[in-house]
Amino acid sequence: MEPCTHPRVGFQPTRGLFVFLIALLFIPVSCQRQRTGVSSGPDLTQRTYYEIFVQSFADSDGDGIGDIQGLTNKLEGIRDMGIGGIWLMPVHPSPSYHKYDVTDYYGIHPDYGTMEDFREMLEEAHSRGIAVIIDLVVNHTSDRHPWFTEAARGADNPYRDHYVWTEDTNLITREPEHWHTVPGDTSGLKYYGFFWHGMPDLNFSHPGVREEIKKIGRFWLEDVGVDGFRLDAAHYLFPEDDKEKNHAWWREFREAMDGTGRRYFMVGEVWGSRNIIAPYLSKGLHACFNFDLGFRIIHILQHGKDTDLASWLAGTREVYSQADNGYADAIFLTNHDQERIMSRLDGNLQKARVAASLLLTLPGIPFIYYGEELGMRGKKPDEQIREPYLWGDNDPAQTSWEEAVYSTPATVAPLVLQEKDEASLYYHYQKLIHLRNEYPEFNSGTFTPIESGDQRLIAFSRSHEGHRVLVLHNVSQEPVIPVSELAQMTSGKVIFCDPPDSRDQIRDGVIQPLTSAVLRITY
Ligand code: CA
């Protein structure tokens, strides 16, 4: 359990009381306000993170748009959930609702508040032991960023080389969707914008651009005091056939950020297989998101059949460790770019509970997308997977900047109801995160797949300093009787079981349908 955390969920009253008393001893030291950074508490890679779209999260001024002050007001609840870090989707000024096209890397979007609000939020988060990492979007800027409006003026502009230009028709014909014309320009010259004409790609071959990005990174780490970055589109800075340059750039950025002497954490968005991801972890990014893991978990629950998840993950971790011993793996179910998991699972609550149990018992840094813990639903387009968080009708923090299609009080019970209900998905998430914080086997332990001999059962163990947890997930709709070898191992103490009423059957050697259990053994 983290210092400064007072869980509302107690599994074992005696232990809970003991931990609470120990925590009290630490409060004067670990809860004192830190001006910059979470200098105490667990390593930044040994926490559970919560991804927040500020716009949809919590409003403080009644305009229906989520803002930084609104987030500050909700930090207490985030802490109570057991969360040790938050990832804020972009907070910089931008012309779009999603803000992945930045016009000023040193500011806060006026809808979200001021830099003063941001600094206050940071201080309040740190005082609760919550780290804050921000989305840093540097593959491209907005086409309204002053660098680009300057660059678009002509070939002799000093900002011209900040972007990528060509009039080579061969290049343009090969990727016509990525080359765009400045409005009114009839010269035939085009600029590169991989995602969209409104997001011109920066030219990382230009040393001046690389220096600007390092300066931005230092500003947020040193002057503002954030705890790190989520690096958007980390795989796309250089073209597909020039990937080594991407790896080299992130090593260069890492070295520059290490130079600040700050404790910080960087996680990159690299959609790709483990072999694509591994080189990014070698002295570059601390972690990358494990997209494949989320896809696999969803597939397994959709079909009720394991696809050797545990041994696949062990293999992935082996590949990463060969690239860099100090690697971290950022695990998640879905994020702001993907259909929400509750929609992928057709609203099947018990499958969503097993997905959460899997995520929060596996090794890695779990990231939970806001609203996932409520069972919020959502399908493309993107706006509809980023719908307002459901606090409950009477909470003034409720945002309303867009009309929700998938997650409304009619389809999803809001937080105000779920936090009082021990049977709720929210309560389940909270219980799991506290379990993860309480037993170091989860955040720091080794990971060993166990051959269950049954495609319906995922089994693995996690060990740390004389303790081992045995984790079992029945992903099918049928009861499973584990093979005798595994049954013998179930002699440990059941520290977690979901649904809770299937606990007795585990003692009898039966794992009920869509049931997760954790047994703890001391050796
Ligand atoms: Ca607002």
Side-chain angles (χ1 to χ4, degrees):
M1 182 167 52
E2 269 186 54
C4 307
T5 303
H6 310 293
R8 279 176 285 173
V9 187
F11 325 105
Q12 298 160 24
T14 323
R15 170 185 290 279
L17 183 62
F18 176 73
V19 172
F20 177 71
L21 291 172
I22 294 292
L24 280 179
L25 289 174
F26 283 97
I27 281 173
V29 182
S30 59
C31 282
Q32 59 183 280
R33 291 193 169 187
Q34 307 292 339
R35 206 158 52 80
T36 53
V38 187
S39 61
S40 61
D43 188 278
L44 293 172
T45 60
Q46 300 194 345
R47 300 154 179 257
T48 299
Y49 283 74
Y50 190 59
E51 178 191 355
I52 294 174
F53 181 38
V54 173
Q55 177 115 348
S56 281
F57 196 60
D59 185 18
S60 72
D61 58 3
D63 67 357
I65 302 172
D67 47 54
I68 301 291
Q69 180 66 53
L71 165 62
T72 307
N73 297 340
K74 295 297 186 185
L75 286 170
E76 197 78 4
I78 293 171
R79 193 271 310 272
D80 287 347
M81 211 163 96
I83 297 295
I86 52 180
W87 153 25
L88 301 182
M89 285 165 62
V91 294
H92 303 125
S94 156
S96 68
Y97 87 90
H98 55 73
K99 304 190 178 20
Y100 278 96
D101 46 344
V102 175
T103 54
D104 174 12
Y105 291 99
Y106 296 92
I108 299 293
H109 193 285
D111 285 348
Y112 289 4
T114 62
M115 188 56 96
E116 195 56 32
D117 294 337
F118 188 90
R119 289 178 190 271
E120 190 193 330
M121 179 276 297
L122 203 55
E123 192 175 326
E124 293 293 328
H126 288 167
S127 75
R128 290 171 175 83
I130 299 172
V132 179
I133 65 172
I134 60 164
D135 225 309
L136 195 59
V137 187
V138 298
N139 173 69
H140 49 263
T141 67
S142 164
D143 61 351
R144 299 186 208 172
H145 191 289
W147 294 342
F148 189 75
T149 52
E150 281 298 315
R153 284 174 194 269
D156 52 354
N157 190 282
Y159 286 93
R160 191 69 166 186
D161 288 343
H162 276 45
Y163 297 88
V164 183
W165 303 86
T166 195
E167 46 191 352
D168 180 339
T169 46
N170 282 336
L171 276 180
I172 296 167
T173 322
R174 214 189 305 156
E175 302 179 77
E177 70 279 23
H178 298 148
W179 291 101
H180 315 281
T181 307
V182 173
D185 185 346
T186 52
S187 68
L189 205 64
K190 289 178 184 274
Y191 66 90
Y192 192 75
F194 179 80
F195 293 102
W196 175 45
H197 71 82
M199 307 203 298
D201 280 43
L202 283 166
N203 175 16
F204 274 80
S205 296
H206 181 31
V209 166
R210 298 205 300 274
E211 287 313 311
E212 287 284 4
I213 302 307
K214 287 187 258 183
K215 195 174 131 197
I216 292 162
R218 285 190 204 102
F219 170 77
W220 285 94
L221 287 186
E222 286 180 328
D223 294 20
V224 184
V226 300
D227 303 283
F229 307 109
R230 178 266 182 185
L231 298 156
D232 184 65
H235 191 41
Y236 291 105
L237 275 55
F238 289 92
E240 198 68 45
D241 50 5
D242 229 351
K243 286 307 169 204
E244 286 76 19
K245 287 189 179 169
N246 277 328
H247 312 147
W249 152 252
W250 290 119
R251 283 195 293 274
E252 182 182 334
F253 187 72
R254 164 86 169 261
E255 206 181 320
M257 297 305 105
D258 284 354
T260 65
R262 290 286 319 282
R263 186 165 84 139
Y264 74 104
F265 160 59
M266 299 198 291
V267 53
E269 180 198 27
V270 178
W271 288 65
S273 66
R274 56 196 182 195
N275 293 320
I276 302 254
I277 288 173
Y280 286 92
L281 300 172
S282 178
K283 299 186 176 68
L285 303 171
H286 297 110
C288 285
F289 286 108
N290 192 334
F291 285 86
D292 278 353
L293 179 72
F295 298 147
R296 279 169 185 264
I297 290 176
I298 291 167
H299 185 269
I300 286 167
L301 287 165
Q302 284 172 334
H303 296 87
K305 231 185 237 179
D306 182 24
T307 53
D308 287 329
L309 184 81
S311 55
W312 171 82
L313 184 59
T316 297
R317 294 172 64 80
E318 181 56 32
V319 171
Y320 291 172
S321 71
Q322 281 166 14
D324 194 317
N325 247 338
Y327 81 96
D329 185 21
I331 60 176
F332 67 104
L333 296 172
T334 60
N335 71 15
H336 63 280
D337 284 325
Q338 299 165 299
E339 189 173 324
R340 281 186 176 272
I341 185 150
M342 192 52 115
S343 294
R344 296 295 306 277
L345 297 175
D346 292 327
N348 186 315
L349 181 62
Q350 195 52 39
K351 286 187 181 179
R353 293 176 77 99
V354 176
S357 302
L358 263 165
L359 179 74
L360 289 158
T361 52
L362 286 170
I365 315 163
F367 278 75
I368 295 166
Y369 182 42
Y370 83 95
E372 190 176 284
E373 77 282 11
L374 298 182
M376 279 176 63
R377 299 164 192 220
K379 296 183 183 188
K380 297 261 179 178
D382 288 343
E383 289 90 325
Q384 259 52 63
I385 49 185
R386 305 168 185 173
E387 289 182 344
Y389 189 78
L390 286 162
W391 298 101
D393 280 346
N394 298 323
D395 191 325
Q398 184 63 49
T399 63
S400 56
W401 68 275
E402 68 164 338
E403 196 171 340
V405 175
Y406 294 99
S407 295
T408 68
T411 57
V412 179
L415 178 70
V416 67
L417 297 180
Q418 294 206 34
E419 64 185 352
K420 293 178 200 142
D421 177 6
E422 289 192 21
S424 70
L425 185 62
Y426 171 83
Y427 207 86
H428 177 62
Y429 266 87
Q430 188 186 43
K431 198 168 166 178
L432 282 162
I433 301 166
H434 282 290
L435 185 79
R436 196 172 174 96
N437 292 341
E438 185 171 0
Y439 296 102
E441 292 92 303
F442 293 109
N443 278 326
S444 317
T446 58
F447 172 66
T448 311
I450 297 172
E451 181 48 65
S452 75
D454 191 320
Q455 274 200 308
R456 297 167 298 182
L457 190 66
I458 298 175
F460 52 88
S461 71
R462 313 286 317 278
S463 300
H464 184 262
E465 293 180 357
H467 296 281
R468 179 187 300 146
V469 288
L470 170 65
V471 185
L472 302 166
H473 301 279
N474 179 355
V475 296
S476 79
Q477 306 274 5
E478 300 147 16
V480 171
I481 300 169
V483 291
S484 57
E485 206 180 315
L486 193 56
Q488 280 170 13
M489 295 173 72
T490 59
S491 58
K493 179 182 164 83
V494 181
I495 58 168
F496 177 84
C497 185
D498 185 73
D501 59 10
S502 56
R503 182 180 287 248
D504 291 344
Q505 283 99 340
I506 290 167
R507 282 273 145 266
D508 302 336
V510 181
I511 316 291
Q512 290 297 314
L514 294 174
T515 290
S516 300
V518 180
L519 298 100
R520 193 166 195 245
I521 305 140
T522 304
Y523 58 91

